[in-house]
Coordinates of all heavy atoms in Angstrom, one line a residue:
M1 N -28.7 -7.5 -77.9 CA -28.7 -8.3 -79.1 C -28.8 -7.4 -80.3 O -29.6 -6.5 -80.3 CB -29.9 -9.3 -79.0 CG -30.1 -10.1 -80.2 SD -31.2 -11.5 -79.8 CE -30.2 -12.8 -80.3
V2 N -28.1 -7.8 -81.3 CA -28.1 -7.0 -82.6 C -28.9 -7.8 -83.6 O -28.7 -9.0 -83.8 CB -26.6 -6.9 -83.0 CG1 -26.6 -6.2 -84.4 CG2 -25.8 -6.1 -82.0
T3 N -29.7 -7.1 -84.3 CA -30.5 -7.6 -85.4 C -29.6 -7.6 -86.6 O -29.0 -6.6 -86.9 CB -31.8 -6.8 -85.7 OG1 -32.6 -6.8 -84.5 CG2 -32.6 -7.4 -86.8
T4 N -29.5 -8.8 -87.3 CA -28.7 -8.9 -88.5 C -29.5 -9.0 -89.7 O -30.7 -9.3 -89.7 CB -27.7 -10.1 -88.4 OG1 -28.5 -11.3 -88.2 CG2 -26.8 -10.0 -87.2
T5 N -28.8 -8.8 -90.8 CA -29.4 -8.9 -92.1 C -28.4 -9.4 -93.1 O -27.2 -9.3 -92.9 CB -30.0 -7.5 -92.6 OG1 -30.8 -7.7 -93.8 CG2 -28.9 -6.5 -92.8
S6 N -28.9 -9.9 -94.3 CA -28.0 -10.3 -95.3 C -27.4 -9.1 -96.0 O -28.1 -8.2 -96.4 CB -28.7 -11.2 -96.3 OG -27.8 -11.5 -97.4
Y7 N -26.1 -9.2 -96.3 CA -25.4 -8.1 -97.0 C -25.1 -8.6 -98.4 O -24.4 -8.0 -99.2 CB -24.1 -7.7 -96.4 CG -24.3 -6.8 -95.1 CD1 -23.2 -6.6 -94.3 CD2 -25.4 -6.1 -94.9 CE1 -23.3 -5.8 -93.2 CE2 -25.6 -5.3 -93.8 CZ -24.5 -5.2 -92.9 OH -24.6 -4.3 -91.8
G8 N -25.6 -9.8 -98.8 CA -25.4 -10.3 -100.1 C -24.7 -11.6 -100.1 O -24.3 -12.1 -99.0
T9 N -24.4 -12.1 -101.2 CA -23.7 -13.4 -101.3 C -22.3 -13.3 -101.9 O -21.9 -12.3 -102.3 CB -24.5 -14.3 -102.3 OG1 -24.4 -13.8 -103.6 CG2 -26.0 -14.4 -101.9
W10 N -21.6 -14.5 -101.8 CA -20.3 -14.5 -102.4 C -20.3 -14.1 -103.9 O -19.5 -13.4 -104.4 CB -19.7 -15.9 -102.2 CG -18.4 -16.1 -102.8 CD1 -18.0 -16.6 -104.0 CD2 -17.2 -15.5 -102.3 NE1 -16.7 -16.5 -104.3 CE2 -16.1 -15.8 -103.2 CE3 -16.8 -14.8 -101.1 CZ2 -14.8 -15.5 -103.0 CZ3 -15.5 -14.5 -100.9 CH2 -14.5 -14.8 -101.8
A11 N -21.4 -14.5 -104.6 CA -21.5 -14.2 -106.0 C -21.6 -12.7 -106.2 O -21.1 -12.1 -107.2 CB -22.7 -14.9 -106.6
N12 N -22.2 -12.0 -105.2 CA -22.3 -10.5 -105.3 C -21.0 -9.8 -105.0 O -20.6 -8.8 -105.6 CB -23.3 -9.9 -104.3 CG -24.7 -10.5 -104.5 OD1 -25.2 -11.1 -103.6 ND2 -25.3 -10.3 -105.7
H13 N -20.2 -10.3 -104.0 CA -19.1 -9.6 -103.5 C -17.7 -10.3 -103.8 O -16.7 -9.6 -103.8 CB -19.2 -9.4 -102.0 CG -20.4 -8.7 -101.6 ND1 -20.6 -7.3 -101.9 CD2 -21.5 -9.1 -100.9 CE1 -21.7 -6.9 -101.4 NE2 -22.3 -8.0 -100.8
G14 N -17.8 -11.5 -104.1 CA -16.5 -12.3 -104.3 C -16.1 -12.3 -105.8 O -16.1 -11.2 -106.4
D15 N -15.8 -13.4 -106.3 CA -15.3 -13.5 -107.6 C -16.3 -13.8 -108.7 O -16.0 -14.1 -109.8 CB -14.2 -14.6 -107.6 CG -14.7 -15.9 -107.1 OD1 -15.9 -16.1 -107.0 OD2 -13.8 -16.8 -106.9
G16 N -17.6 -13.7 -108.3 CA -18.6 -14.0 -109.3 C -19.1 -15.4 -109.3 O -20.2 -15.7 -109.9
E17 N -18.4 -16.3 -108.7 CA -18.8 -17.7 -108.6 C -19.9 -17.8 -107.6 O -20.1 -16.9 -106.7 CB -17.7 -18.7 -108.2 CG -16.6 -18.8 -109.2 CD -17.0 -19.6 -110.4 OE1 -18.0 -20.3 -110.4 OE2 -16.3 -19.4 -111.5
L18 N -20.8 -18.8 -107.6 CA -21.9 -18.9 -106.7 C -21.4 -19.2 -105.2 O -22.1 -18.7 -104.3 CB -22.8 -20.0 -107.1 CG -23.6 -19.8 -108.4 CD1 -24.6 -20.9 -108.7 CD2 -24.5 -18.5 -108.2
T19 N -20.3 -19.9 -105.1 CA -19.8 -20.2 -103.7 C -18.4 -19.9 -103.6 O -17.7 -19.9 -104.6 CB -20.1 -21.6 -103.3 OG1 -19.3 -22.5 -104.2 CG2 -21.6 -22.0 -103.4
L20 N -17.9 -19.7 -102.4 CA -16.4 -19.6 -102.2 C -15.7 -20.8 -102.7 O -14.7 -20.7 -103.3 CB -16.2 -19.3 -100.7 CG -14.7 -19.1 -100.3 CD1 -14.5 -17.8 -99.6 CD2 -14.3 -20.3 -99.4
E21 N -16.3 -22.0 -102.4 CA -15.6 -23.2 -102.8 C -15.5 -23.3 -104.3 O -14.4 -23.7 -104.8 CB -16.5 -24.4 -102.3 CG -16.5 -24.6 -100.8 CD -17.5 -23.7 -100.1 OE1 -18.3 -22.9 -100.8 OE2 -17.6 -23.7 -98.9
A22 N -16.5 -22.9 -105.1 CA -16.4 -22.9 -106.5 C -15.4 -21.9 -107.0 O -14.6 -22.1 -107.9 CB -17.8 -22.6 -107.1
G23 N -15.3 -20.7 -106.3 CA -14.3 -19.7 -106.7 C -12.9 -20.2 -106.5 O -12.0 -19.9 -107.3
V24 N -12.6 -20.9 -105.4 CA -11.3 -21.5 -105.1 C -11.0 -22.5 -106.2 O -9.9 -22.4 -106.8 CB -11.2 -22.2 -103.7 CG1 -10.0 -23.0 -103.6 CG2 -11.3 -21.1 -102.7
A25 N -11.9 -23.4 -106.6 CA -11.6 -24.4 -107.6 C -11.4 -23.7 -109.0 O -10.5 -24.1 -109.7 CB -12.8 -25.4 -107.7
T26 N -12.2 -22.7 -109.3 CA -12.0 -22.0 -110.5 C -10.7 -21.3 -110.6 O -10.0 -21.3 -111.6 CB -13.2 -21.0 -110.8 OG1 -14.4 -21.7 -110.8 CG2 -13.0 -20.2 -112.0
S27 N -10.3 -20.7 -109.5 CA -9.0 -20.0 -109.5 C -7.8 -20.9 -109.7 O -6.9 -20.6 -110.4 CB -8.8 -19.3 -108.1 OG -9.7 -18.2 -108.0
L28 N -7.9 -22.1 -109.2 CA -6.8 -23.1 -109.3 C -6.9 -23.8 -110.7 O -5.9 -24.3 -111.2 CB -6.9 -24.2 -108.2 CG -6.7 -23.6 -106.8 CD1 -7.0 -24.7 -105.8 CD2 -5.3 -23.0 -106.6
G29 N -8.1 -23.8 -111.3 CA -8.2 -24.3 -112.7 C -7.8 -25.8 -112.8 O -8.1 -26.6 -111.9
E30 N -7.0 -26.1 -113.8 CA -6.7 -27.5 -114.1 C -5.7 -28.0 -113.0 O -5.4 -29.2 -113.0 CB -6.0 -27.6 -115.5 CG -4.7 -26.8 -115.6 CD -4.2 -26.9 -117.0 OE1 -4.6 -26.0 -117.8 OE2 -3.4 -27.7 -117.3
Y31 N -5.2 -27.1 -112.1 CA -4.3 -27.6 -111.1 C -5.0 -27.8 -109.8 O -4.3 -28.1 -108.7 CB -3.1 -26.5 -110.9 CG -2.4 -26.4 -112.2 CD1 -2.6 -25.3 -113.0 CD2 -1.4 -27.3 -112.6 CE1 -1.9 -25.1 -114.2 CE2 -0.7 -27.1 -113.8 CZ -1.0 -26.0 -114.6 OH -0.3 -25.9 -115.8
A32 N -6.3 -27.8 -109.7 CA -7.0 -27.9 -108.5 C -6.7 -29.2 -107.7 O -6.6 -29.2 -106.5 CB -8.5 -27.9 -108.8
N33 N -6.4 -30.3 -108.5 CA -6.1 -31.6 -107.8 C -4.7 -31.5 -107.1 O -4.4 -32.4 -106.3 CB -6.1 -32.7 -108.8 CG -7.5 -33.0 -109.2 OD1 -8.5 -32.8 -108.4 ND2 -7.7 -33.5 -110.4
D34 N -3.9 -30.5 -107.4 CA -2.6 -30.4 -106.8 C -2.7 -29.7 -105.4 O -1.7 -29.6 -104.7 CB -1.7 -29.5 -107.6 CG -1.3 -30.1 -108.9 OD1 -1.5 -31.4 -109.1 OD2 -0.8 -29.4 -109.8
Y35 N -3.9 -29.4 -105.0 CA -4.1 -28.7 -103.7 C -5.0 -29.4 -102.8 O -5.9 -30.2 -103.2 CB -4.7 -27.3 -103.9 CG -3.7 -26.4 -104.7 CD1 -3.6 -26.4 -106.1 CD2 -2.9 -25.5 -104.0 CE1 -2.7 -25.6 -106.8 CE2 -2.0 -24.7 -104.7 CZ -1.9 -24.7 -106.1 OH -1.0 -23.9 -106.7
D36 N -4.8 -29.2 -101.5 CA -5.8 -29.7 -100.5 C -6.9 -28.7 -100.5 O -6.9 -27.7 -99.8 CB -5.1 -29.8 -99.1 CG -6.1 -30.4 -98.1 OD1 -7.3 -30.4 -98.3 OD2 -5.6 -30.8 -97.0
L37 N -7.9 -28.9 -101.4 CA -9.0 -28.0 -101.6 C -9.8 -27.7 -100.3 O -10.2 -26.5 -100.1 CB -10.0 -28.4 -102.7 CG -9.4 -28.3 -104.1 CD1 -10.5 -28.9 -105.1 CD2 -9.1 -26.9 -104.4
D38 N -10.1 -28.7 -99.5 CA -10.9 -28.5 -98.3 C -10.2 -27.6 -97.3 O -10.7 -26.6 -96.8 CB -11.3 -29.8 -97.7 CG -12.3 -30.6 -98.4 OD1 -13.0 -30.0 -99.3 OD2 -12.3 -31.8 -98.3
A39 N -8.9 -27.9 -97.1 CA -8.1 -27.1 -96.2 C -7.9 -25.7 -96.7 O -8.0 -24.7 -95.9 CB -6.8 -27.8 -95.9
L40 N -7.6 -25.5 -98.0 CA -7.4 -24.2 -98.6 C -8.7 -23.4 -98.5 O -8.7 -22.2 -98.1 CB -7.0 -24.3 -100.0 CG -6.9 -23.0 -100.8 CD1 -6.0 -22.0 -100.1 CD2 -6.4 -23.3 -102.2
T41 N -9.9 -24.0 -98.8 CA -11.1 -23.3 -98.7 C -11.4 -22.8 -97.3 O -11.8 -21.7 -97.1 CB -12.3 -24.2 -99.3 OG1 -12.0 -24.5 -100.6 CG2 -13.6 -23.5 -99.2
T42 N -11.2 -23.7 -96.4 CA -11.4 -23.3 -94.9 C -10.5 -22.2 -94.5 O -10.9 -21.2 -93.9 CB -11.2 -24.6 -94.0 OG1 -12.1 -25.5 -94.4 CG2 -11.3 -24.2 -92.6
A43 N -9.2 -22.3 -94.9 CA -8.2 -21.2 -94.6 C -8.6 -19.9 -95.3 O -8.5 -18.8 -94.6 CB -6.8 -21.7 -95.0
Y44 N -9.1 -20.0 -96.5 CA -9.4 -18.8 -97.2 C -10.7 -18.1 -96.5 O -10.7 -16.9 -96.3 CB -9.7 -19.1 -98.7 CG -9.9 -17.9 -99.6 CD1 -9.2 -16.8 -99.5 CD2 -10.9 -18.0 -100.6 CE1 -9.3 -15.7 -100.4 CE2 -11.1 -16.9 -101.5 CZ -10.3 -15.8 -101.4 OH -10.5 -14.7 -102.2
R45 N -11.6 -18.9 -96.2 CA -12.8 -18.4 -95.5 C -12.5 -17.8 -94.2 O -12.9 -16.7 -93.8 CB -13.9 -19.6 -95.3 CG -15.1 -19.1 -94.6 CD -16.0 -20.3 -94.3 NE -16.5 -20.9 -95.5 CZ -17.4 -20.5 -96.3 NH1 -18.1 -19.4 -96.0 NH2 -17.8 -21.1 -97.4
D46 N -11.6 -18.5 -93.4 CA -11.2 -18.0 -92.1 C -10.4 -16.6 -92.3 O -10.6 -15.7 -91.5 CB -10.3 -19.0 -91.4 CG -11.0 -20.2 -90.9 OD1 -12.3 -20.2 -90.9 OD2 -10.4 -21.2 -90.5
A47 N -9.6 -16.5 -93.3 CA -8.8 -15.3 -93.5 C -9.7 -14.2 -93.9 O -9.5 -13.0 -93.5 CB -7.8 -15.5 -94.6
I48 N -10.7 -14.4 -94.7 CA -11.7 -13.4 -95.1 C -12.5 -13.0 -93.8 O -12.7 -11.8 -93.6 CB -12.7 -13.9 -96.2 CG1 -11.9 -14.0 -97.5 CG2 -13.9 -12.9 -96.4 CD1 -12.6 -14.8 -98.6
N49 N -13.0 -13.9 -93.0 CA -13.7 -13.6 -91.8 C -12.8 -12.8 -90.9 O -13.3 -11.8 -90.2 CB -14.3 -14.8 -91.1 CG -15.6 -15.2 -91.7 OD1 -16.5 -14.3 -91.8 ND2 -15.9 -16.4 -92.0
D50 N -11.5 -13.1 -90.8 CA -10.6 -12.3 -89.9 C -10.4 -10.9 -90.4 O -10.2 -10.0 -89.7 CB -9.3 -13.0 -89.8 CG -9.3 -14.3 -89.0 OD1 -10.3 -14.5 -88.3 OD2 -8.3 -15.1 -89.1
A51 N -10.5 -10.7 -91.8 CA -10.3 -9.4 -92.4 C -11.5 -8.5 -92.3 O -11.4 -7.3 -92.4 CB -9.8 -9.6 -93.8
L52 N -12.7 -9.2 -92.2 CA -13.9 -8.4 -92.2 C -14.1 -7.7 -90.8 O -13.5 -8.1 -89.8 CB -15.1 -9.4 -92.3 CG -15.4 -10.0 -93.7 CD1 -16.4 -11.1 -93.6 CD2 -15.9 -8.9 -94.6
P53 N -14.8 -6.5 -90.8 CA -15.1 -5.9 -89.6 C -15.8 -6.9 -88.6 O -16.4 -7.9 -89.1 CB -16.1 -4.8 -89.9 CG -15.8 -4.5 -91.4 CD -15.4 -5.8 -92.0
D54 N -15.6 -6.8 -87.3 CA -16.1 -7.8 -86.4 C -17.6 -8.0 -86.5 O -18.1 -9.1 -86.2 CB -15.8 -7.3 -84.9 CG -14.3 -7.5 -84.6 OD1 -13.6 -8.2 -85.3 OD2 -13.9 -6.8 -83.6
S55 N -18.4 -7.0 -87.0 CA -19.8 -7.2 -87.0 C -20.3 -7.8 -88.4 O -21.5 -8.0 -88.5 CB -20.5 -5.8 -86.8 OG -20.1 -4.9 -87.9
I56 N -19.4 -8.1 -89.3 CA -19.8 -8.8 -90.5 C -19.1 -10.2 -90.6 O -18.0 -10.4 -90.1 CB -19.3 -8.0 -91.8 CG1 -19.9 -6.6 -91.8 CG2 -19.6 -8.7 -93.1 CD1 -19.3 -5.7 -92.9
S57 N -19.9 -11.1 -91.1 CA -19.3 -12.5 -91.2 C -19.8 -13.1 -92.5 O -20.8 -12.8 -93.1 CB -19.8 -13.4 -90.0 OG -21.2 -13.5 -90.0
L58 N -18.9 -14.0 -93.0 CA -19.3 -14.9 -94.1 C -19.7 -16.2 -93.6 O -18.9 -16.9 -93.0 CB -18.1 -15.0 -95.1 CG -18.2 -16.0 -96.2 CD1 -19.3 -15.6 -97.2 CD2 -16.9 -16.1 -97.0
A59 N -20.9 -16.6 -93.8 CA -21.5 -17.9 -93.3 C -22.1 -18.6 -94.5 O -23.0 -18.1 -95.1 CB -22.5 -17.6 -92.2
G60 N -21.5 -19.7 -94.9 CA -21.9 -20.4 -96.1 C -21.5 -19.5 -97.3 O -20.4 -19.1 -97.4
S61 N -22.5 -19.1 -98.1 CA -22.2 -18.3 -99.2 C -22.8 -16.9 -99.0 O -22.8 -16.1 -99.9 CB -22.8 -18.9 -100.5 OG -22.2 -20.1 -100.8
D62 N -23.2 -16.5 -97.8 CA -23.8 -15.3 -97.5 C -23.0 -14.4 -96.5 O -22.5 -15.0 -95.5 CB -25.2 -15.5 -96.9 CG -26.2 -16.1 -97.9 OD1 -26.3 -15.5 -99.0 OD2 -26.7 -17.2 -97.7
F63 N -23.0 -13.1 -96.7 CA -22.4 -12.2 -95.8 C -23.6 -11.6 -94.9 O -24.6 -11.3 -95.4 CB -21.7 -11.1 -96.5 CG -20.5 -11.5 -97.2 CD1 -20.6 -11.9 -98.6 CD2 -19.3 -11.5 -96.6 CE1 -19.4 -12.3 -99.2 CE2 -18.1 -11.9 -97.2 CZ -18.2 -12.3 -98.6
Y64 N -23.3 -11.6 -93.6 CA -24.3 -11.1 -92.7 C -23.7 -10.0 -91.8 O -22.5 -10.0 -91.5 CB -24.8 -12.2 -91.7 CG -25.6 -13.2 -92.5 CD1 -25.0 -14.4 -92.8 CD2 -26.9 -13.1 -92.8 CE1 -25.7 -15.4 -93.5 CE2 -27.6 -14.0 -93.4 CZ -27.0 -15.2 -93.8 OH -27.7 -16.2 -94.5
G65 N -24.5 -9.0 -91.4 CA -24.1 -7.9 -90.6 C -25.2 -7.2 -90.0 O -26.4 -7.6 -90.2
P66 N -25.0 -6.2 -89.2 CA -26.0 -5.4 -88.5 C -27.0 -4.8 -89.4 O -26.7 -4.3 -90.5 CB -25.2 -4.3 -87.8 CG -23.8 -4.8 -87.7 CD -23.6 -5.6 -88.9
A67 N -28.3 -4.9 -89.1 CA -29.4 -4.4 -89.9 C -29.4 -2.9 -89.7 O -29.9 -2.2 -90.6 CB -30.7 -5.0 -89.5
Y68 N -28.9 -2.4 -88.6 CA -29.1 -0.9 -88.3 C -27.7 -0.3 -88.3 O -26.7 -0.8 -87.7 CB -29.8 -0.7 -87.0 CG -31.2 -1.3 -87.0 CD1 -31.4 -2.5 -86.3 CD2 -32.2 -0.8 -87.8 CE1 -32.6 -3.1 -86.3 CE2 -33.4 -1.4 -87.8 CZ -33.7 -2.6 -87.1 OH -34.9 -3.2 -87.1
D69 N -27.6 0.9 -88.9 CA -26.3 1.6 -89.0 C -25.7 1.9 -87.6 O -24.5 1.8 -87.4 CB -26.5 3.0 -89.6 CG -26.9 2.9 -91.1 OD1 -26.8 1.8 -91.7 OD2 -27.2 3.9 -91.7
T70 N -26.6 2.1 -86.6 CA -26.1 2.3 -85.2 C -25.3 1.1 -84.6 O -24.6 1.3 -83.7 CB -27.2 2.8 -84.3 OG1 -28.2 1.7 -84.3 CG2 -27.8 4.1 -84.8
D71 N -25.5 -0.1 -85.2 CA -24.9 -1.3 -84.6 C -23.6 -1.6 -85.4 O -22.9 -2.6 -85.1 CB -25.8 -2.4 -84.7 CG -27.0 -2.3 -83.7 OD1 -26.8 -1.7 -82.7 OD2 -28.1 -2.8 -84.1
R72 N -23.3 -0.8 -86.4 CA -22.1 -1.1 -87.2 C -20.8 -0.7 -86.6 O -20.7 0.3 -85.9 CB -22.2 -0.4 -88.6 CG -23.3 -0.9 -89.5 CD -23.3 -0.2 -90.8 NE -24.3 -0.7 -91.6 CZ -24.7 -0.1 -92.8 NH1 -24.0 1.0 -93.2 NH2 -25.6 -0.6 -93.5
D73 N -19.7 -1.5 -86.8 CA -18.4 -1.2 -86.3 C -17.5 -0.8 -87.4 O -16.3 -0.9 -87.4 CB -17.8 -2.3 -85.5 CG -17.6 -3.6 -86.3 OD1 -18.1 -3.6 -87.4 OD2 -16.9 -4.5 -85.7
F74 N -18.1 -0.3 -88.5 CA -17.4 0.2 -89.7 C -18.1 1.4 -90.3 O -19.3 1.6 -90.0 CB -17.3 -1.0 -90.7 CG -18.6 -1.5 -91.2 CD1 -19.2 -1.0 -92.3 CD2 -19.2 -2.5 -90.5 CE1 -20.4 -1.5 -92.8 CE2 -20.5 -3.0 -90.9 CZ -21.1 -2.5 -92.1
T75 N -17.4 2.1 -91.1 CA -18.1 3.2 -91.7 C -18.2 2.9 -93.2 O -17.6 2.0 -93.8 CB -17.2 4.5 -91.6 OG1 -15.9 4.3 -92.1 CG2 -17.1 4.9 -90.1
G76 N -19.1 3.6 -93.9 CA -19.3 3.4 -95.3 C -20.3 2.3 -95.5 O -21.0 1.8 -94.6
E77 N -20.3 1.8 -96.8 CA -21.3 0.8 -97.2 C -20.8 -0.6 -96.8 O -19.5 -0.8 -97.0 CB -21.5 0.9 -98.7 CG -22.2 2.2 -99.1 CD -23.6 2.3 -98.5 OE1 -24.4 1.3 -98.5 OE2 -23.9 3.4 -98.0
P78 N -21.6 -1.5 -96.5 CA -21.2 -2.9 -96.2 C -20.5 -3.5 -97.4 O -19.5 -4.2 -97.2 CB -22.5 -3.6 -95.9 CG -23.5 -2.6 -95.5 CD -23.1 -1.3 -96.2
A79 N -21.0 -3.2 -98.6 CA -20.3 -3.8 -99.8 C -18.9 -3.4 -99.9 O -18.0 -4.2 -100.3 CB -21.1 -3.4 -101.1
D80 N -18.6 -2.1 -99.5 CA -17.2 -1.7 -99.6 C -16.3 -2.4 -98.6 O -15.2 -2.8 -98.9 CB -17.1 -0.2 -99.4 CG -17.8 0.6 -100.5 OD1 -17.9 0.1 -101.6 OD2 -18.3 1.7 -100.2
A81 N -16.8 -2.5 -97.4 CA -16.1 -3.2 -96.3 C -15.8 -4.7 -96.7 O -14.7 -5.2 -96.4 CB -16.9 -3.2 -95.0
I82 N -16.8 -5.3 -97.3 CA -16.6 -6.7 -97.7 C -15.6 -6.8 -98.8 O -14.7 -7.7 -98.8 CB -18.0 -7.3 -98.2 CG1 -18.9 -7.4 -96.9 CG2 -17.8 -8.6 -98.8 CD1 -20.4 -7.7 -97.3
R83 N -15.7 -6.0 -99.8 CA -14.8 -6.1 -101.0 C -13.3 -5.8 -100.5 O -12.4 -6.4 -100.9 CB -15.2 -5.1 -102.1 CG -16.4 -5.7 -102.8 CD -16.7 -4.8 -104.0 NE -18.0 -5.3 -104.6 CZ -19.1 -4.6 -104.5 NH1 -19.2 -3.4 -103.9 NH2 -20.3 -5.1 -105.0
E84 N -13.2 -4.8 -99.6 CA -11.9 -4.5 -99.1 C -11.3 -5.7 -98.3 O -10.1 -6.0 -98.4 CB -11.9 -3.3 -98.2 CG -12.1 -2.0 -98.9 CD -12.4 -0.8 -98.0 OE1 -12.1 -0.9 -96.8 OE2 -12.9 0.2 -98.5
A85 N -12.1 -6.3 -97.5 CA -11.6 -7.5 -96.8 C -11.2 -8.6 -97.7 O -10.1 -9.2 -97.5 CB -12.7 -8.0 -95.8
I86 N -12.0 -8.9 -98.7 CA -11.6 -9.9 -99.7 C -10.3 -9.6 -100.4 O -9.4 -10.4 -100.5 CB -12.8 -10.2 -100.7 CG1 -14.0 -10.8 -100.0 CG2 -12.3 -11.1 -101.8 CD1 -15.2 -10.8 -100.8
A87 N -10.2 -8.3 -100.8 CA -9.0 -7.9 -101.5 C -7.8 -7.9 -100.7 O -6.7 -8.1 -101.2 CB -9.2 -6.5 -102.1
S88 N -7.9 -7.8 -99.3 CA -6.8 -7.8 -98.5 C -6.2 -9.2 -98.2 O -5.0 -9.3 -97.7 CB -7.1 -7.2 -97.1 OG -7.9 -8.1 -96.3
V89 N -6.9 -10.2 -98.6 CA -6.4 -11.6 -98.4 C -5.6 -12.0 -99.7 O -6.2 -12.0 -100.8 CB -7.6 -12.6 -98.1 CG1 -7.0 -14.0 -98.0 CG2 -8.3 -12.2 -96.9
D90 N -4.4 -12.4 -99.5 CA -3.5 -12.9 -100.6 C -3.8 -14.3 -100.8 O -3.2 -15.2 -100.2 CB -2.1 -12.6 -100.3 CG -1.2 -13.0 -101.4 OD1 -1.6 -13.6 -102.4 OD2 0.0 -12.6 -101.4
F91 N -4.8 -14.6 -101.7 CA -5.2 -16.0 -102.0 C -4.0 -16.8 -102.4 O -3.9 -18.0 -102.0 CB -6.3 -16.0 -103.1 CG -6.6 -17.4 -103.6 CD1 -7.5 -18.2 -102.8 CD2 -6.1 -17.9 -104.7 CE1 -7.8 -19.5 -103.2 CE2 -6.4 -19.2 -105.2 CZ -7.3 -20.0 -104.4
W92 N -3.2 -16.3 -103.3 CA -2.1 -17.2 -103.9 C -1.0 -17.5 -102.8 O -0.5 -18.7 -102.8 CB -1.5 -16.6 -105.1 CG -2.5 -16.6 -106.2 CD1 -3.2 -15.5 -106.7 CD2 -3.0 -17.8 -106.9 NE1 -4.1 -16.0 -107.6 CE2 -4.0 -17.3 -107.8 CE3 -2.8 -19.1 -106.8 CZ2 -4.7 -18.2 -108.6 CZ3 -3.5 -20.0 -107.6 CH2 -4.4 -19.5 -108.5
S93 N -0.7 -16.7 -101.9 CA 0.2 -17.0 -100.8 C -0.4 -18.1 -99.9 O 0.2 -19.0 -99.5 CB 0.5 -15.8 -100.0 OG 1.3 -14.9 -100.7
L94 N -1.7 -17.9 -99.7 CA -2.4 -18.9 -98.9 C -2.5 -20.3 -99.6 O -2.2 -21.3 -99.0 CB -3.9 -18.4 -98.6 CG -4.6 -19.1 -97.5 CD1 -3.9 -19.0 -96.2 CD2 -6.0 -18.4 -97.4
A95 N -2.7 -20.2 -100.9 CA -2.8 -21.5 -101.7 C -1.5 -22.2 -101.7 O -1.5 -23.4 -101.6 CB -3.2 -21.1 -103.2
A96 N -0.4 -21.5 -101.7 CA 0.9 -22.1 -101.7 C 1.1 -23.0 -100.5 O 1.8 -24.0 -100.6 CB 2.0 -21.0 -101.8
K97 N 0.5 -22.7 -99.4 CA 0.6 -23.5 -98.2 C -0.1 -24.8 -98.3 O 0.2 -25.7 -97.5 CB 0.0 -22.7 -97.0 CG 0.8 -21.4 -96.6 CD 0.1 -20.7 -95.5 CE 0.8 -19.4 -95.2 NZ 0.2 -18.7 -94.1
Y98 N -1.0 -24.9 -99.3 CA -1.8 -26.1 -99.4 C -1.5 -26.9 -100.7 O -2.3 -27.7 -101.1 CB -3.3 -25.8 -99.3 CG -3.6 -25.2 -97.9 CD1 -3.6 -23.9 -97.7 CD2 -3.8 -26.1 -96.9 CE1 -3.8 -23.4 -96.4 CE2 -4.0 -25.6 -95.6 CZ -4.0 -24.2 -95.4 OH -4.2 -23.8 -94.1
D99 N -0.4 -26.5 -101.3 CA 0.0 -27.2 -102.6 C 0.6 -28.5 -102.2 O 1.7 -28.6 -101.5 CB 1.1 -26.3 -103.3 CG 1.5 -26.8 -104.6 OD1 1.3 -28.0 -104.9 OD2 2.1 -26.0 -105.4
K100 N 0.0 -29.6 -102.7 CA 0.5 -30.9 -102.3 C 1.7 -31.3 -103.1 O 2.4 -32.3 -102.8 CB -0.6 -32.0 -102.6 CG -1.9 -31.7 -101.7 CD -2.9 -32.8 -101.9 CE -3.5 -32.8 -103.2 NZ -4.7 -33.7 -103.4
T101 N 2.0 -30.6 -104.2 CA 3.2 -30.9 -105.0 C 4.5 -30.2 -104.6 O 5.6 -30.5 -105.1 CB 2.9 -30.6 -106.5 OG1 2.8 -29.1 -106.6 CG2 1.7 -31.2 -107.0
A102 N 4.3 -29.3 -103.6 CA 5.5 -28.5 -103.2 C 6.4 -29.3 -102.2 O 6.0 -30.2 -101.5 CB 5.1 -27.2 -102.6

């Protein structure tokens, strides 16, 4: 069993919004109603979790991972791994799949 700890929140590592859901809505701005927000948010969260190292996860608005370096499946700082994973997801390509006006 691996002991886990918080690696911070979406506000720390994401786009500065308090939650991923708020970040999605803010990114879409005045066009938010043109998208299936629930499905897009779920898909975005899933894509981020898929991009994260196996030992890190985004649950709710918090990132969790191994408390001890020896249990990590990544090198470097957790914050770097998290930011790289988020940056690797093309939000706008994903959003296009949930555009109700297309």
Side-chain angles (χ1 to χ4, degrees):
M1 176 163 232
V2 174
T3 302
T4 60
T5 189
S6 175
Y7 284 165
T9 67
W10 179 258
N12 301 119
H13 301 294
D15 56 14
E17 293 290 341
L18 290 180
T19 65
L20 179 124
E21 293 81 2
V24 168
T26 297
S27 293
L28 298 173
E30 65 185 85
Y31 300 100
N33 289 332
D34 293 344
Y35 294 84
D36 182 341
L37 285 179
D38 290 337
L40 173 54
T41 300
T42 297
Y44 189 41
R45 178 183 301 280
D46 290 346
I48 291 168
N49 272 314
D50 288 345
L52 287 166
D54 288 340
S55 63
I56 301 176
S57 63
L58 172 60
S61 294
D62 296 301
F63 291 92
Y64 295 96
Y68 304 106
D69 293 350
T70 55
D71 293 327
R72 293 180 179 173
D73 62 351
F74 58 93
T75 57
E77 294 298 315
D80 294 334
I82 292 167
R83 287 188 188 105
E84 286 172 18
I86 293 169
S88 75
V89 176
D90 184 347
F91 173 78
W92 292 107
S93 291
L94 196 57
K97 296 177 183 179
Y98 298 95
D99 185 344
K100 297 185 293 189
T101 65

